[in-house]
């Protein structure tokens, strides 16, 4: 059984409005184990026809395996879901819990705990895991002696701090007294094939312990706030083959940026999405670049190779299935090991991890091969490469407005180096795409980037560059709802005349009143550079006033600089206009985040 807040929406709930409100206030305060007990008690009371106030005949609390996950792009969430489903199939009682929905003080009640967490940026935990990550390092963290723990980390080995968030969680849980009962597993981006074995081995460890405490329950409790994905036949493992209906450049001829507005038909898929969701896009590598790579290695593109359980031509595998744009240490190690003759320069780099990482930071796999061609077979090349990973883009449309379409705002990644022009994998595909071309897609829910449930609540949307994408969707949705809440957009880019994305639409929303106000920052249009964070502090009194009257604030875009600068600006505004010190201002914003009033979609 799965219990979610969406199952008991006001429109379908048999509860009165007052009961409905009280139910969710109670549910939000309960621990996972308390939720399981209450679920069983209510079910037993209903079957026995017991009066609402009667005590249960046997109120033994079932032993619960709590599966905690922290996910940035949805991968950790899906792995955690696989573990929860497999545990339920074994008859175990499971609490599948997003870290953002767990009150840190509830952690001391957990006795059987599995952590699935991704890492992004410079070893950082996902947005949804930041609060728990910080709590475990604080003096408030509880004694966890008697708690049994296992940890799985997802990451990208091309980054220096590979799976660091998972390492942090395990180290801190162990330091608090928890017993780590299974070896930590750290998985790279091509993790899918290793998950089933980990699920089974993890449950083999926990199952005897859980059953020794109490009888099996076979229940999955999914905490309120964790949205249930709409049922669909299509997913990351089985994407929908969609048709591209339009690709339009929306930056000017003289712009330093190439940004494309992309429209994709979802007709016949049954796929649905909400503002705040992302679209996963599988792409094709550039045919000319693939051929140049084959030529450099002296390989026949028509030769057959084995890829998993499939047999394909080498050219097709390189074009459709394998990663050639994002480089990573594992490729170099396998490539050097497979070469018939020593590739000395690369072999030296393999022994010097920092130097190898620096070498790869500026290069695509194409570059590695062109600079260091080796005698290698087609099959060995395929075996050295990892599977292509889809790219996630914030959806730039509301289905209320565009129906069987989905829109994206794609910044083309391009640069020149090592004697050749470079394009990003997916953004390069977008640039080459023609109307009618096909692309494989799926919807990834954005559980932590949602419009306020109440359409009367004000919103502040901060989205420079392609970060405007989800706010186009937000505004389309608010218009379709007839929402009367105020909306404030802060947008920035280099030049007004070249880089004002969706200018006509935004100005029309401003004229109609849907946008209450819009502030822009075109950084290169004056001697002194101006960014969105400067507009925040410039209008600090108004920003704080909006926050005080309940506004939700959203930030979308670059995580490394923009999001940090915007956060610092918000701290400054709250401190100045709320008349508090920096620490209290940070606490103010943390409270907004806990209330889902400060949400970020950063990358």
């Amino acid at each position: 059984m799965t219990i979610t807040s969406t199952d008991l929406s006001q429109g379908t709930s048999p509860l009165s409005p007052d009961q409905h409100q009280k139910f969710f206030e109670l549910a939000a305060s309960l621990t996972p184990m308390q939720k399981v007990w209450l679920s069983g008690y209510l079910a037993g009371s209903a079957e026995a026809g017991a009066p609402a106030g009667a005590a249960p005949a046997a109120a033994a609390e079932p032993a619960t395996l709590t599966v905690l996950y922290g996910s940035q792009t949805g991968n950790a969430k899906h792995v955690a879901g696989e573990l929860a489903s497999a545990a339920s199939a074994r008859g175990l009682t499971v609490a599948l819990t997003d870290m953002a929905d767990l009150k840190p003080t509830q952690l001391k009640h957990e006795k059987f705990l599995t952590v699935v967490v991704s890492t992004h940026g410079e070893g950082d935990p996902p947005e949804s895991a930041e609060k728990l990550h910080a709590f475990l390092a604080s003096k408030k963290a509880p004694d966890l002696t008697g708690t049994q723990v296992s940890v799985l980390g997802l990451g990208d080995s091309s980054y220096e701090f590979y799976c660091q968030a998972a390492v942090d969680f395990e180290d801190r849980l162990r330091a608090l007294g928890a017993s780590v009962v299974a070896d930590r597993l750290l998985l790279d981006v091509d993790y899918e094939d290793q998950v089933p074995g980990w699920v089974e081995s993890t449950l083999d460890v926990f199952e005897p312990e859980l059953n020794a405490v109490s009888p099996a329950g076979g229940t999955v409790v999914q905490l309120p706030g964790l949205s249930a994905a709409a049922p669909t036949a299509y997913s990351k493992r089985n994407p929908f083959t969609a048709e591209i209906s339009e690709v339009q450049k929306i930056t000017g001829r003289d712009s330093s940026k190439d940004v494309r507005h992309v429209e994709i038909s979802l007709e016949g898929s049954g796929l649905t999405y909400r503002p705040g969701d992302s679209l996963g896009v599988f792409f094709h590598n550039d045919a000319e670049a693939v051929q140049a790579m084959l030529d450099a290695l002296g390989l026949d593109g028509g030769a057959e190779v084995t890829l998993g359980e499939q047999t394909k031509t080498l050219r097709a595998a390189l074009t459709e299935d394998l990663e050639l744009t994002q480089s990573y240490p594992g490729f170099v190690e396998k490539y050097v090991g497979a070469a018939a003759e020593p590739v000395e320069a690369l072999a030296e780099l393999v022994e010097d991890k920092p130097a190898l990482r620096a070498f790869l930071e500026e290069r695509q796999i194409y570059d590695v091969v062109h600079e260091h061609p080796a005698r290698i077979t087609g099959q060995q090349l395929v075996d050295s490469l990892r599977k292509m990973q889809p790219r996630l883009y914030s959806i730039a449309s509301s289905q209320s407005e565009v129906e069987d379409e989905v829109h994206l705002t794609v910044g083309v990644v391009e640069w020149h180096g090592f004697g050749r022009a470079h394009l990003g994998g997916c953004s390069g595909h977008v640039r080459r795409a023609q109307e009618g071309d096909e692309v494989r897609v799926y919807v990834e829910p954005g559980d932590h980037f949602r419009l306020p449930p109440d359409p009367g609540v004000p919103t502040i949307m901060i989205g420079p560059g392609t970060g405007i994408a989800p706010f186009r969707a937000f505004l389309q949705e608010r218009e379709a709802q007839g929402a009367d809440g105020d909306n404030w957009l802060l947008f920035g880019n280099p030049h007004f005349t070249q880089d004002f994305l969706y200018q006509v639409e935004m100005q029309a929303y401003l004229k109609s009143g849907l946008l209450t106000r819009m502030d822009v920052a075109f950084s290169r249009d004056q001697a002194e550079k101006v960014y969105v964070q400067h507009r925040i502090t410039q209008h600090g009194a108004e920003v704080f006033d909006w926050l005080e009257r309940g506004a939700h604030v959203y930030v979308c875009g670059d995580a490394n600089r923009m999001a940090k600068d915007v956060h610092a600006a918000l701290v400054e505004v709250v401190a100045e206009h709320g008349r508090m010190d920096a620490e209290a201002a940070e606490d103010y914003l943390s409270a907004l985040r806990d209330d889902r009033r400060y949400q970020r979609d950063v990358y």
Side-chain angles (χ1 to χ4, degrees), residues 235-256:
S235 63
K236 181 180 178 182
R237 291 186 176 179
N238 180 38
F240 174 67
T241 301
E243 184 176 290
I244 296 175
S245 51
E246 182 177 334
V247 179
Q248 179 184 0
K249 186 178 180 184
I250 56 174
T251 44
R253 179 182 301 176
D254 297 324
S255 174
S256 60

Side-chain angles (χ1 to χ4, degrees), residues 46-57:
E47 290 175 6

Side-chain angles (χ1 to χ4, degrees), residues 394 449 462-464 466-471 554-558 562 599-603:
S394 300
F449 205 72
I462 306 165
T466 56
I468 196 174
F471 303 134
Y554 301 90
V555 181
C556 182
D558 171 61
M562 183 278 298
Q599 301 182 33
R600 307 198 306 175
D601 178 11
V602 296
Y603 38 84

Side-chain angles (χ1 to χ4, degrees), residues 204-490:
D204 286 345
V205 171
F206 278 111
E207 185 174 12
E209 301 292 331
L210 287 159
N211 286 336
V213 174
S214 69
T219 302
V220 178
V221 174
Q222 194 171 6
L223 300 189
L226 175 61
S227 64
T232 175
Y234 300 105
S235 63
K236 181 180 178 182
R237 291 186 176 179
N238 180 38
F240 174 67
T241 301
E243 184 176 290
I244 296 175
S245 51
E246 182 177 334
V247 179
Q248 179 184 0
K249 186 178 180 184
I250 56 174
T251 44
R253 179 182 301 176
D254 297 324
S255 174
S256 60
K257 300 183 176 184
D258 181 352
V259 179
R260 307 284 169 129
H261 172 76
V262 185
E263 298 184 2
I264 298 170
S265 172
L266 299 178
E267 188 174 357
S269 69
L271 284 170
T272 61
Y273 60 87
R274 296 167 60 191
D277 290 346
S278 297
L279 193 74
V281 182
F282 289 90
F283 57 93
H284 284 177
N285 290 311
D286 180 31
E288 292 184 5
V290 167
Q291 186 58 53
M293 185 177 185
L294 292 169
D295 293 341
L297 295 173
L299 296 174
D300 176 11
E304 288 192 342
V305 293
T306 301
L307 191 66
E309 297 180 355
Q310 290 183 300
T311 299
K312 312 183 73 164
T313 67
L314 175 58
R315 179 180 289 103
L318 293 174
T319 303
E320 301 168 5
D321 301 290
L322 298 168
E323 185 63 66
L324 299 179
T325 50
Q326 290 186 348
S327 55
Y328 52 98
F331 166 72
V332 178
E333 293 166 3
K334 292 179 181 179
Y335 181 72
V336 168
E341 298 170 354
V343 188
E344 294 181 1
L346 289 183
E348 291 177 8
L349 284 173
V350 167
E351 299 302 317
D352 185 345
K353 300 298 183 185
L356 177 58
R357 212 173 296 279
F359 171 79
L360 294 176
E361 187 174 353
E362 301 177 333
R363 290 168 171 83
Q364 295 179 331
I365 285 176
Y366 296 119
D367 298 312
V368 177
V369 169
H370 283 296
E371 291 178 27
H372 303 280
R375 285 182 55 203
I376 190 171
T377 68
Q379 187 63 55
Q380 288 173 324
L381 176 63
V382 166
D383 293 341
S384 299
L385 294 164
R386 66 187 182 191
K387 292 179 182 177
M388 177 187 294
Q389 295 301 304
R391 307 301 195 249
L392 285 178
Y393 292 96
S394 300
I395 290 176
S397 57
S398 163
Q399 220 161 10
S400 301
E401 170 75 17
V402 303
E403 298 182 345
D404 284 341
E405 290 183 353
V406 61
H407 297 176
L408 305 178
T409 310
V410 178
V412 178
V413 178
E414 57 181 323
W415 75 100
H416 195 280
F418 313 109
R420 55 182 289 270
H422 295 70
L423 288 173
C426 195
S427 64
H429 184 159
V430 166
R431 175 184 279 185
R432 295 186 297 271
Q434 303 292 322
E435 181 179 331
D437 285 356
E438 292 183 339
V439 64
R440 294 174 295 150
V441 301
Y442 65 97
V443 173
E444 185 60 54
D447 296 323
H448 301 288
F449 205 72
R450 294 291 188 218
L451 278 167
D454 180 354
V457 170
T459 68
I460 301 173
M461 299 169 283
I462 306 165
T466 56
I468 196 174
F471 303 134
R472 182 176 184 263
F474 277 20
L475 290 167
Q476 287 183 357
E477 181 74 6
R478 296 276 265 189
E479 184 174 52
Q481 289 177 336
D484 55 2
D486 291 338
N487 300 296
W488 184 355
L489 175 67
L490 293 100

Side-chain angles (χ1 to χ4, degrees), residues 165-189:
V167 175
D168 289 348
F169 271 102
E170 184 178 284
D171 288 348
R172 291 173 185 180
L173 291 167
R174 192 195 301 270
L176 293 170
S179 299
V180 178
V181 296
D183 291 339
R184 178 177 68 215
L185 182 61
L186 306 181
L187 298 180
D188 212 340
V189 294

Side-chain angles (χ1 to χ4, degrees), residues 470-535:
F471 303 134
R472 182 176 184 263
F474 277 20
L475 290 167
Q476 287 183 357
E477 181 74 6
R478 296 276 265 189
E479 184 174 52
Q481 289 177 336
D484 55 2
D486 291 338
N487 300 296
W488 184 355
L489 175 67
L490 293 100
F491 171 75
N493 237 350
H495 297 286
F496 171 82
T497 57
Q498 302 293 321
D499 306 304
F500 197 160
L501 307 182
Y502 302 113
Q503 177 184 356
V504 173
E505 292 181 27
M506 296 305 126
Q507 289 179 331
Y509 286 143
L510 194 61
K511 185 176 181 179
S512 73
L514 180 68
L515 262 179
T516 311
R517 65 180 293 173
M518 177 169 60
D519 287 278
V520 294
F522 293 104
S523 58
R524 306 301 196 275
D525 280 352
Q526 59 282 312
E528 185 176 345
K529 293 179 181 177
V530 178
Y531 299 104
V532 287
Q533 62 266 25
H534 299 130
R535 296 297 185 221

